[in-house]
Amino acid sequence: MSDTDARVHAQYEAYPYPARDPRDEAKRLITGSPSHLDEIRHYVFAGRLDLSKPFRALVAGGGTGDAAIMLAQQLADAGAADAEVVHLDISSASHGIAMKRAEARGLTNLRFADGPIERVAEIAPGSYDYIDCCGVLHHLDSPEAGLKALAGVLKPEGGMGLMVYGTLGRTGVYPVQEALAQLSDHLGEKERVALAKRLVAGLSKTHWLKRNPFVGDHLTGGDAGLYDLLLHPRDRAYRVDEFAGFVASGGLAIRSWIEPARYDPDTYLSDPGLRKAASGLDPVARAALAERLSGAMAKHIVYALPAGRADLPVPDPGADGAVLVLRDLDPVAVAKGLSGGVLKADLGGAPWQAPLPAIAPAIVARLDGRRMVADIRDQLKPGDPTRFADHVRATFAAFHAINRMLVRAVH
Ligand SMILES: C[S@@+](CC[C@H](N)C(=O)[O-])C[C@H]1O[C@@H](n2cnc3c(N)ncnc32)[C@H](O)[C@@H]1O
């Protein structure tokens, strides 16, 4: 183990990340991207994940358990009788918290494996239908070797959810990390935190860290958040094109950036001439342009498939047998809030909107995650079934752009 590896290990033993209290499991389930079961079904399995069959997921560098707990709970709720989530980490303190969270929920579909990603093939041998690696690869000595190790235990018909830091959205972080390294390298973990707090408090209000609203772990994440953001012994960030190259280096193809609209230059361009100029760019170049125009991307989340699955068809949300779901939203409440024929969102400070057909509220109100599109059509009795299918597609396109509507199943 290198000195830096030892320091990374010591950090996560002293400050398991993110800070979590197992007692809070009684109050709420933390959900997010990647690895929400509805996202996995849509992005990785195109709506065709059969949970009556065995399903194995690996959460690599799972920390205090957010993704593993979310996925294990969602699999249990979905009645997946033969599903297992393996939580792999180097930090026994993090394992301890994740285990207590699982206990608090009575989850029996989680298993814990102790050791580094680089040795996953011996510590938690594959093969996995799905692998989560969120906020970890950018801390490894060789992110490429880590990704390859994970790809080596992924089923050819599986997929991954990945998150790495974004360079532009983390403006201001790295100069402060470097300053703290200059001043605190000889100190122990706790002294470093105290010194970092004093240094941050004294920064001028014009320093980029203070002006950047897209990083806040040092303000809201407790000492673990402050350490992770500003004192980490090893972290790097990626621009969109670097990340795309990195994903490809693991033999993977990006299925989708999350949320898709953030990576669409049209979100940031209203001038028709500029939109036209951007329209000729290839998909990665368009996403890279969006990153430049946004400035808000402090992290990049993607779903990625083995390159051999890159041509997996995208499910048709207008098909009779499609079951659509609003991710973590109450359909009736959302339908009530829709007005003016548009869906609006704020994407890192960029105002975004998409048109909705007049029938959208009636469709949305019925998306309970069980009804098929054909059932909804039978209830609404629209005149023309072909036009209805197009209205469903338009409604889906609007919500899906912000990752709020997904194809849960295709019958
Ligand atoms: C920033 S935390 C992310 C935790 C979790 N994935 C999340 O998003 O909440 C990074 C985690 O990766 C773990 N880690 C760091 N290097 C690792 C390695 N080489 N193999 C396995 N886990 C590692 C750390 O112990 C820590 O729990």
Side-chain angles (χ1 to χ4, degrees):
M1 196 193 281
S2 71
D3 282 358
T4 312
D5 283 338
R7 278 192 52 192
V8 171
H9 190 196
Q11 171 188 339
Y12 289 115
E13 290 300 353
Y15 295 107
Y17 183 93
R20 294 287 179 245
D21 182 344
R23 287 172 299 188
D24 291 338
E25 297 311 309
K27 298 182 218 152
R28 50 92 186 103
L29 175 68
I30 295 177
T31 62
S33 302
S35 305
H36 191 293
L37 182 56
D38 280 326
E39 294 180 7
I40 295 172
R41 292 186 206 252
H42 178 94
Y43 294 110
V44 179
F45 296 101
R48 294 184 185 276
L49 177 61
D50 181 357
L51 288 175
S52 68
K53 301 211 171 107
F55 178 79
R56 255 190 118 208
L58 172 71
V59 180
T64 49
D66 281 3
I69 296 291
M70 167 179 68
L71 185 52
Q73 183 68 63
Q74 291 174 339
L75 286 165
D77 293 346
D82 196 359
E84 180 184 59
V85 178
V86 178
H87 177 281
L88 172 79
D89 207 287
I90 51 168
S91 155
S92 53
S94 302
H95 272 309
I97 293 167
M99 277 176 200
K100 287 213 176 74
R101 293 176 73 182
E103 263 166 47
R105 292 184 164 275
L107 291 169
T108 53
N109 54 358
L110 262 163
R111 200 162 64 71
F112 295 87
D114 186 11
I117 284 171
E118 293 86 339
R119 290 179 32 224
V120 63
E122 57 188 278
I123 298 163
S127 53
Y128 294 94
D129 300 281
Y130 176 73
I131 297 177
D132 165 287
C133 196
C134 176
V136 185
L137 291 167
H138 48 226
H139 294 313
L140 303 191
D141 180 32
S142 168
E144 289 77 14
L147 184 62
K148 284 203 175 92
L150 293 177
V153 293
L154 181 68
K155 281 191 190 158
E157 59 277 19
M160 292 197 200
L162 303 171
M163 183 279 269
V164 297
Y165 295 147
T167 308
L168 299 186
R170 280 167 72 86
T171 296
V173 168
Y174 292 100
V176 175
Q177 275 194 12
E178 288 163 18
L180 287 169
Q182 284 183 291
L183 300 175
S184 71
D185 248 9
H186 58 293
L187 301 175
E189 267 77 31
K190 298 245 169 339
E191 292 80 17
R192 274 198 203 117
V193 168
L195 183 138
K197 285 181 181 166
R198 297 205 318 272
L199 185 135
V200 170
L203 286 176
S204 77
K205 65 179 192 312
T206 57
H207 190 285
W208 283 111
L209 183 70
K210 292 222 163 158
R211 295 167 66 153
N212 184 348
F214 306 112
V215 286
D217 237 7
H218 58 311
L219 305 173
T220 59
D223 288 357
L226 178 131
Y227 208 110
D228 212 58
L229 185 73
L230 299 177
L231 289 163
H232 206 289
R234 189 199 284 131
D235 96 43
R236 58 152 303 178
Y238 290 80
R239 298 285 290 267
V240 155
D241 41 1
E242 293 170 325
F243 187 35
F246 171 59
V247 171
S249 78
L252 302 162
I254 292 175
R255 176 70 164 173
S256 184
W257 301 82
I258 305 296
E259 298 94 344
R262 282 184 191 266
Y263 290 85
D264 180 350
D266 287 359
T267 295
Y268 313 98
L269 301 171
S270 49
D271 180 303
L274 293 176
R275 281 189 171 196
K276 187 158 183 287
S279 67
L281 300 172
D282 68 56
V284 172
R286 279 178 62 80
L289 176 61
E291 178 184 38
R292 294 181 182 109
L293 298 173
S294 156
M297 296 179 189
K299 52 173 98 155
H300 298 303
I301 299 171
V302 295
Y303 283 93
L305 306 179
R309 290 187 77 209
D311 58 357
L312 177 75
V314 172
D316 174 9
D320 276 7
V323 177
L324 311 182
V325 64
L326 277 174
R327 180 190 170 289
D328 290 340
L329 295 173
D330 172 23
V332 174
V334 172
K336 274 196 189 131
L338 293 177
S339 63
V342 288
L343 180 66
K344 292 185 181 176
D346 176 296
L347 298 180
W352 172 92
Q353 64 177 53
L356 287 172
I359 199 173
I363 295 170
V364 166
R366 287 165 178 78
L367 296 181
D368 61 359
R370 287 185 295 274
R371 287 188 182 102
M372 295 188 298
V373 166
D375 301 330
I376 297 174
R377 190 185 56 228
D378 289 349
Q379 287 187 353
L380 293 178
K381 302 198 188 332
D384 177 350
T386 312
R387 272 195 73 203
F388 178 73
D390 284 341
H391 289 325
V392 173
R393 289 185 188 109
T395 305
F396 181 86
F399 280 89
H400 181 67
I402 51 171
N403 193 37
R404 284 304 195 171
M405 201 182 289
L406 301 155
V407 176
R408 176 176 272 184
V410 183
H411 296 299

